[in-house]
Amino acid sequence: MKVLHLNAGNETGGGMKHILSLLDELDHDQVVLGVFEEGEMVQRAQESHIETVHFKQAFPFDLSVIFQINRYIQQEGIDIIHTHGPRANVLLRLLKPKLQIPWVLTLHSDPSDDFMGHGVKGELFTRVHKRAIRSADHCLAISERFRKRLLQMNVSNHKITTIYNGIDFSKSPEMNWERKNFGFTEEDFLIAMVARFEAVKQHELAIESFAAFKQSNENAHLLLIGDGTLENQLRKLCEKLEVDKSVHFLGFRNDVASLLPMVDLTLLTSKSESFPLVLLESARANVPAVTTDVGGVDKMIPSRGYGWIVDQPHSKSIANALNQAALLSGSELPAMGEKFHDFVSTRYSTQHFAAQVSNVYDFLYKSPPKMEYNV
């Protein structure tokens, strides 16, 4: 069985890590990564000896690429195609009438939020993308909430499988950064937020919450790890709230696993998530988290003893959770981090994650669905 995984190729965050960790765990002779743009994702795949193919587009809406994909499927004897992300999903819907093999897609994010902040064009893309999702033969939902979201979109229950993300907990960071490398001391309370600077991640909420928390915690610092279109806007907000000396923009980094062990807490303020890899990475680093109540975070943080899930996504509620965490700094907060690690590591490994996906492939390969074109 050979599976072609298709993605735009411009992923740099959790989506990229999800796809690459899955492909790395599967038999490399049975998987191929197809992309429309070459970048860090392809580089990392090739470093892991994962076969890649570049389906070139003259521009993002160049539909001629579907003929390249179809030709490749026929020539290489692809048995299943697995798409990740809106662009790949929409293109496969156009190709589906010609397909004689099953099409699986993974829902990494809520499609209603994928084009947040893009106005009328975003609303159009959202409708087109939702229609594409309904056309797939099978959907993998990365949380139970996303399974319910698919049901709301009129995707049949028998076409949905809930599969949670996983990471390799046996891997240790190649190096560990020390606080002094960034000018911090052991007395500082460090909070890290790993997320691209886009509307759905709600960095404004994170900064406003931190500003409220900072009023009673002078030694606190917020480390923003990522990049994106809203960076300048967020820097101005920090200046307005007078926390620009305590909020540090570290940019996009490949060494998140090496950075997290030096912080006290991680923060996630997203409006929508599936099963956030950043929380898995936080657990691997023995660092507890404060997060909004999104996706499957309750599966990783089942009670207050493992971290904080904020039901009301308001700056006051998040600042209150940050204050509770700061009061535990010393021995109690690290102990919570170890408990978080022990709970998550036994349930959400890459091996378990890949095995679930393989079971779906085996089922579709042995009992392929009747090929139909949903409108």
Side-chain angles (χ1 to χ4, degrees), residues 5 78 98 135 170 176 184 188 193 201 289 291 313 317 321 330 359:
H5 287 255
I78 300 298
K98 298 180 180 296
S135 299
S170 67
N176 282 318
F184 301 125
D188 290 328
M193 179 166 170
K201 301 299 181 180
T291 176
S317 300
N359 289 338

Side-chain angles (χ1 to χ4, degrees), residues 136-204:
D137 297 308
H138 204 83
C139 298
L140 302 183
I142 311 298
S143 72
E144 186 61 19
R145 289 185 184 180
F146 275 22
R147 185 189 73 83
K148 293 177 181 177
R149 187 74 185 89
L150 287 166
L151 290 173
Q152 292 170 356
M153 292 166 52
N154 296 321
V155 176
S156 300
N157 187 53
H158 73 275
K159 291 172 57 175
I160 306 171
T161 300
T162 302
I163 293 178
Y164 294 102
N165 274 333
I167 62 173
D168 189 348
F169 281 89
S170 67
K171 284 186 177 180
S172 299
E174 295 180 2
M175 65 171 293
N176 282 318
W177 287 102
E178 296 183 15
R179 293 182 170 216
K180 63 182 180 181
N181 298 129
F182 296 88
F184 301 125
T185 69
E186 292 304 315
E187 289 71 37
D188 290 328
F189 189 78
L190 303 186
I191 305 167
M193 179 166 170
V194 185
R196 66 187 189 277
F197 299 141
E198 302 297 341
V200 71
K201 301 299 181 180
Q202 300 191 135
H203 282 82
E204 294 92 344

Side-chain angles (χ1 to χ4, degrees), residues 95-132:
L95 178 58
K96 182 165 183 180
K98 298 180 180 296
L99 284 180
Q100 298 300 317
I101 60 174
W103 165 27
V104 182
L105 69 78
T106 295
L107 191 67
H108 292 268
S109 56
D110 189 328
S112 295
D113 298 326
D114 284 335
F115 301 102
M116 183 186 296
H118 290 269
V120 175
K121 185 186 293 185
E123 293 176 5
L124 175 61
F125 289 165
T126 297
R127 288 197 295 270
V128 172
H129 184 211
K130 287 181 178 179
R131 183 172 295 180

Side-chain angles (χ1 to χ4, degrees), residues 4 11 18-20 60 62 84 109 141-142 154 157 160 163 193 196 241-242 249 254 273 283 314 329 356 359:
L4 171 63
E11 292 275 5
H18 170 104
I19 296 167
L20 293 182
D62 178 8
H84 306 263
S109 56
I142 311 298
N154 296 321
N157 187 53
I160 306 171
I163 293 178
M193 179 166 170
R196 66 187 189 277
L241 297 177
E242 299 182 347
F249 290 77
N254 290 321
E273 290 281 352
H314 304 300
S329 60
Q356 293 178 87
N359 289 338

Side-chain angles (χ1 to χ4, degrees), residues 253-319:
R253 301 184 67 107
N254 290 321
D255 58 351
V256 172
S258 300
L259 283 169
L260 290 184
M262 78 174 186
V263 307
D264 298 286
L265 193 70
T266 56
L267 175 63
L268 185 67
T269 57
S270 296
K271 181 180 186 296
S272 173
E273 290 281 352
S274 54
F275 199 69
L277 278 167
V278 65
L279 294 189
L280 293 175
E281 292 176 328
S282 185
R284 183 168 59 186
N286 294 330
V287 176
V290 171
T291 176
T292 45
D293 189 9
V294 289
V297 298
D298 60 324
K299 299 295 183 182
M300 287 184 270
I301 305 176
S303 69
R304 181 58 60 85
Y306 299 87
W308 289 263
I309 298 177
V310 181
D311 295 329
Q312 300 296 325
H314 304 300
S315 58
K316 183 177 180 180
S317 300
I318 295 172

